[in-house]
Amino acid sequence: RIVFLGDHATSRETHLLLINEALRDLPIEAAPQLFNAAWAFPLSFSEEHYREYVDFFAPTHAVLEFGPEIAGYSQPRSPDNFRQAITRLVDRLEQSGIEPIIATGFAIPKSNPRARELLESYNEFLRKLALQRGYRLADVDVKSRNHPDAEPELVNTYFAPTFEGFRVMAAALLES
C-alpha cells in the first residue's frame, strides 16, 4: 500500500498509471496498491492533513515527490525551510511505521535559473537524506538528465512533465 505525496505533477497521476501498467501482470495479492494524496497533502501539513491524506490509506510506504513546483513558486521555500519540512514529514512517517521512498525532482528547463539552483539544492538534500536514513531513492533528476531526448521534451510549462517526462518518473520509481 503506497501513498504518493507531492505536487501537481503527482496530482495528474500519469506516472501512477504507468506504474500500474508496468505491474499489471503481477498476481493481485502481490501487486502494490497505489493511492494518490498529491496536492491535497501540503508539505507544511497539520495533523488533520496527515490523518486525512496519509493515515486514511493505511500505507506501508509513502513516495515523497516534492521539489520542482516548490522551486518554481514566485516565493519558493529556502533550502533550509525545505529540509526542515521534509525532515518533519519523514519523521512523522517513521513514527507511523511507514517507509518513506524519496524521489528527487525532475530537471527544470534552463529558462528558470533560480528555480534550477533551488531544485539542485533540494535534490542534493534528498539524496543525502535517503543515504543517511537508508531510504529507497528514486533519482528522477539523474534519470531525466540522462534521457536522450533532452529536457524540453520532458517538461512542459509550469514545471509539469510531458508524457515522456512521466515515463521517466515512473521508470525511476519502479527501479527504486
Side-chain angles (χ1 to χ4, degrees):
R1 297 179 61 86
I2 304 171
V3 65
F4 285 74
L5 309 171
D7 58 21
H8 279 108
T10 305
S11 291
R12 294 174 188 217
E13 292 194 341
T14 306
H15 61 305
L16 280 70
L17 295 170
L18 292 168
I19 291 168
N20 272 326
E21 179 64 20
L23 302 175
R24 76 177 181 275
D25 293 334
L26 288 175
I28 295 219
E29 62 277 358
Q33 294 178 317
L34 308 181
F35 303 95
N36 188 5
W39 191 247
F41 182 81
L43 187 51
S44 296
F45 64 95
S46 66
E47 268 306 302
E48 181 180 335
H49 286 127
Y50 190 87
R51 283 190 303 276
E52 185 175 354
Y53 297 108
V54 178
D55 284 344
F56 176 79
F57 296 113
T60 57
H61 297 77
V63 175
L64 280 57
E65 299 182 299
F66 295 98
E69 192 166 2
I70 294 170
Y73 285 156
S74 59
Q75 295 180 341
R77 289 177 183 265
S78 70
D80 282 340
N81 185 277
F82 182 81
R83 279 191 286 275
Q84 290 169 0
I86 292 290
T87 301
R88 177 176 171 252
L89 177 54
V90 297
D91 288 346
R92 183 64 181 91
L93 290 167
E94 284 185 359
Q95 181 184 17
S96 297
I98 300 167
E99 180 183 330
I101 299 171
I102 306 295
T104 58
F106 49 84
I108 290 178
K110 293 177 182 163
S111 61
N112 193 327
R114 179 191 55 86
R116 284 177 67 91
E117 183 179 322
L118 274 173
L119 183 61
E120 285 176 19
S121 79
Y122 296 172
N123 285 342
E124 182 180 322
F125 163 71
L126 292 169
R127 287 183 189 101
K128 286 179 183 176
L129 177 68
L131 183 64
Q132 289 170 348
R133 297 205 184 185
Y135 299 150
R136 296 173 202 223
L137 175 68
D139 206 335
V140 176
D141 175 52
V142 167
K143 196 114 177 120
S144 64
R145 289 175 191 271
N146 292 336
H147 191 271
D149 291 337
E151 64 191 52
E153 300 297 323
L154 300 178
V155 181
N156 232 334
T157 55
Y158 307 108
F159 306 107
T162 61
F163 183 75
E164 187 60 24
F166 280 117
R167 286 174 29 100
V168 169
M169 290 172 70
L173 285 160
L174 285 164
E175 286 175 9
S176 71

